[in-house]
Structure formats: C-alpha cells, structure tokens
C-alpha cells in the first residue's frame, strides 16, 4: 500500500493559500454588506452588461437634463425678479405724469423731468442685472451687459433731438430712434449690446426644449425705455423756456409708460409659461430618475440575507482553518512515535 504525503513547506504554502482565499472572500462579502451592491457585476450579469449600460447612460442624460431645467428655472425666476423690480420703479410713474398739474410752475416741470431721468438710470441698472455670473437680458452674449448707461443713451437722444422745437417732433424722433432697425444708427446699434434674432434653447427633457426669447431689445422693454427717455430728455435741457411744450412731452411720456406697463406684464406672462414648462419637465425628470435608479439598484444590489449567510460560512471556515493550522503546528516526532 502506497502513502502520499506532502512536506512541511508545501503544507505551509497550501494553508497560506487557503487562508488568503478565505480572507479575500470575506473582504468581498464585507464590502457587499456595507455598500449593498454586488462586488462582481460581471459574474452577476454573466457578462451581459448591455441593459445596465443603457440604464446608466439614460440616468446620466436625464440627470443632466434635470440640471438644465434647474438652471433654466433659476434664470426665468431671475428675469421675473428683474421685471418686478423695474415695475416697482415705473408702475405709478406714468399715471403721475398724466395726472399732475405740470403747468403749475417751471420748477415743477424740471423736478418731474429729473425724477424720470433718475428712474431711467435705475431701470437700466436693473435690466443689466446678473444671475450666476451671466447677464440675463443680453440674448446669446451673456458675458456683457445688454444696455449702455442712461447717460450714454441720453447723449445719443440729445444728438437726435437737437434743434427740434416741439413736443411732437421730439417724441417722434425718440420713437424713431428706439424703433429703428439694426444698421440704421438707432437703439439696436448704439444702446443695445446683446443679440437679436437667435434665441437660447435649453433642453429640459428628452423631448422638450424651452426658449429664452426675452432680452433688453424685446418690444415691451424698448417701449418702457422709450417712455422713460421721452421725459428724461427734458432733464438735458430739451424745449428750454417752453413750459407748454415741456408739459406736453411729459404727458406723452405718461401715456407711453402706461401702455408699456401692460406690455411688460405680457412679457412676464410669456416667461411664466416657460416657467410652467420647466416645472413640468422637472417633475417628469424626477420620475424618470427615480425609476431608473430603482432598476439600476435591482441589478446591482446584493441580497443581504444571502450575503450574511455566506459571510457566516466564511467566518466558520476561517476559524476551522486556524484551528487545523494550530493543531498541525503542535505535531512533533515524539507524539508521532
């Protein structure tokens, strides 16, 4: 009868190899217990990771779309805040220009003209507002303010109205300057620094895109500036020593501001519709992300009961191996004989 045996060094190597394997298995099971995910996805999926990759890809895309929607919501709300701030300055100004007895004194006319000039400066500062390091009303060039200063705008209008002697002439010249198409030296060429025509399009779901169409060149904004500038030009000395004509120009400004306020509310309403679209998109994205995360977790998650059972088994095997190792280490020739 033949006996097969291994030497002490070979046995030591075999025991060490078994110990390392058990320790590695324990580390893997401990990781799965702590993270709740299987350590070897390839083995779990038997090498077929296509479904998981598709879920991960769509989850990444939808997460980005949700980020787009959040940024769009912030931008639209900031624009609403800008127009609310503008209306707080101009809301009652038009009515006051129409109802005050302007012809009472030359001083009163001058005071009202200065008030409107200050309002123009405040409105332009607010229209040049920023959010997240970008100008809100510059169209596609959000790295620069959309409007020149009130002084620069009035400088241009002062040149346009120089030599005109009636309120109707000055009012018409100001309207023409603000409404002039690009390339003719009007508002779009000398006072507005943003873009026109092309609009920013922001994808917020896989099928939906919102548009940012409002800028400082939008008709409603221009009409408001037009109304303010009509009265503010008097602060530059227009129609000097002609109180009746100055009063008439202030009334033109009042009518323009009242009409412009309605237009500004309409513009805010259009922004509000985009806000509703963004809110719906955020809700849809949140639902998609939640569903995808559940699907991904179902694929990646480790069964806690099975993992705990396997971990207990490995612990038992390690304890047994240590016990055998200790037993073998106490063997000697005397005991053998």
């Amino acid at each position: 009868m033949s006996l097969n045996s291994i030497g002490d060094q070979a046995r030591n190597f075999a025991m060490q190899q078994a110990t390392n394997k058990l320790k590695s298995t324990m580390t893997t099971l401990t990781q799965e217990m702590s993270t709740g995910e299987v350590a070897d996805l390839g083995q779990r999926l038997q090498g077929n990771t296509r479904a998981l990759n598709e879920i991960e890809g769509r989850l990444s895309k939808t997460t980005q779309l949700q980020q787009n929607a959040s940024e769009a919501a912030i931008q639209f709300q900031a624009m609403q805040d800008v127009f609310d701030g503008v209306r707080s300055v101009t809301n009652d100004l038009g009515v006051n220009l129409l109802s005050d007895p302007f012809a009472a004194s030359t001083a009163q006319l001058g005071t009202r003209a200065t008030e409107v000039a200050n309002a123009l400066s405040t409105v332009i500062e607010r229209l040049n507002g920023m959010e997240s390091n970008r100008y809100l009303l510059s169209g596609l060039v959000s790295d620069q303010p959309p409007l020149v200063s009130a002084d620069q705008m009035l400088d241009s209008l002062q040149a346009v109205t120089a030599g005109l002697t009636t309120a109707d002439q000055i009012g018409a010249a100001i309207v023409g300057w603000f409404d002039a198409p690009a390339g003719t030296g009007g508002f779009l060429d000398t006072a507005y620094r943003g873009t026109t025509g092309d609009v920013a399009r922001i994808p917020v779901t896989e099928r939906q895109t919102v548009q940012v169409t409002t800028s400082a060149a939008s008709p409603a904004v221009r009409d408001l500036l037009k109304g303010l500038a009509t009265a503010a030009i008097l602060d530059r000395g227009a129609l000097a020593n002609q109180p009746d004509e100055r009063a008439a120009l202030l009334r033109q400004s009042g009518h323009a501001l009242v009409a412009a306020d309605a237009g500004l509310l309409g513009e805010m309403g259009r922004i509000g519709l985009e806000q509703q679209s963004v809110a719906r998109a955020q809700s849809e994205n949140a639902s998609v992300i939640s569903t995808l995360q559940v699907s991904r977790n179902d694929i990646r998650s480790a069964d806690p009961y099975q993992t705990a059972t396997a971990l207990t088994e490995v612990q038992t095997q390690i304890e047994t191996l240590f016990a055998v190792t200790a037993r073998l280490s106490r063997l000697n020739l005397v005991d053998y004989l």
Side-chain angles (χ1 to χ4, degrees):
M1 180 177 180
S2 62
L3 297 175
N4 296 322
S5 64
I6 60 176
D8 290 343
Q9 187 173 1
R11 181 183 294 112
N12 181 62
F13 177 76
M15 298 293 285
Q16 184 178 3
Q17 192 174 34
T19 301
N20 291 338
K21 182 177 180 180
L22 288 172
K23 287 183 177 179
S24 176
T25 302
M26 175 173 276
T27 300
T28 300
L29 292 172
T30 303
Q31 177 185 344
E32 290 182 353
M33 283 291 291
S34 62
T35 63
E37 296 185 353
V38 294
D40 191 346
L41 270 176
Q43 182 179 5
R44 159 67 71 84
L45 300 175
Q46 297 180 348
N48 184 12
T49 60
R50 178 177 178 181
L52 179 61
N53 290 338
E54 289 179 352
I55 291 173
E56 294 281 8
R58 191 177 176 201
L59 182 59
S60 177
K61 180 179 180 180
T62 306
T63 301
Q64 181 58 58
L65 290 170
Q66 185 73 321
Q67 179 64 32
N68 292 351
S70 298
E71 292 178 0
I74 293 172
Q75 182 175 356
F76 285 132
Q77 185 57 54
M79 293 170 72
Q80 295 282 38
D81 293 342
V82 165
F83 289 137
D84 278 335
V86 167
R87 292 191 69 242
S88 70
V89 176
T90 63
N91 193 28
D92 297 327
L93 190 55
V95 175
N96 292 338
L97 291 175
L98 291 173
S99 61
D100 284 357
F102 297 120
S105 69
T106 301
Q108 187 177 2
L109 292 173
T111 299
R112 185 62 78 181
T114 300
E115 178 187 356
V116 179
N118 291 336
L120 175 63
S121 180
T122 301
V123 165
I124 288 177
E125 287 178 2
R126 295 191 176 182
L127 293 175
N128 283 342
M130 300 181 70
E131 173 64 38
S132 302
N133 294 322
R134 65 183 176 191
Y135 291 95
L136 296 168
L137 299 175
S138 294
L140 298 181
V141 287
S142 58
D143 59 341
Q144 61 183 9
L147 297 171
V148 299
S149 68
D151 285 337
Q152 289 174 288
M153 189 176 296
L154 290 175
D155 286 342
S156 298
L157 289 174
Q158 192 172 9
V160 170
T161 58
L164 302 181
T165 58
T166 67
D168 289 341
Q169 289 175 347
I170 289 179
I174 291 175
V175 169
W177 184 81
F178 273 99
D179 293 343
T184 58
F187 170 83
L188 294 177
D189 297 318
T190 60
Y192 178 64
R193 294 173 172 173
T195 60
T196 58
D198 294 334
V199 298
R201 292 176 172 83
I202 306 173
V204 292
T205 71
E206 292 180 350
R207 303 174 305 278
Q208 182 183 0
T209 299
V210 295
Q211 297 183 354
V212 184
T213 59
T214 303
S215 72
S218 297
V221 179
R222 272 197 275 180
D223 286 344
L224 181 71
L225 294 173
K226 191 187 304 178
L228 291 169
T230 299
I233 196 67
L234 294 174
D235 198 47
R236 290 296 187 93
L239 301 175
N241 301 319
Q242 300 182 69
D244 291 342
E245 294 297 328
R246 288 169 68 85
L249 193 61
L250 285 173
R251 284 191 294 270
Q252 286 186 30
S253 174
H255 285 295
L257 288 174
V258 170
D261 188 62
L264 200 61
L265 286 173
E267 194 68 34
M268 294 173 72
R270 281 187 284 275
I271 296 173
L273 292 176
E274 296 295 334
Q275 287 180 291
Q276 291 180 2
S277 297
V278 169
R280 287 193 296 269
Q282 288 178 302
S283 178
E284 178 181 336
N285 289 335
S287 177
V288 171
I289 289 173
S290 178
T291 301
L292 290 172
Q293 286 176 335
V294 170
S295 299
R296 181 186 64 179
N297 292 341
D298 287 343
I299 294 175
R300 298 176 61 96
S301 62
D303 187 304
Y305 176 77
Q306 291 181 355
T307 303
T309 300
L311 186 59
T312 301
E313 291 177 356
V314 171
Q315 287 176 327
T316 301
Q317 292 174 8
I318 290 176
E319 290 171 358
T320 302
L321 183 62
F322 285 167
V324 170
T325 302
R327 175 92 177 185
L328 290 174
S329 67
R330 290 196 299 270
L331 291 180
N332 54 61
L333 181 60
V334 173
D335 293 337
Y336 177 75
L337 294 175

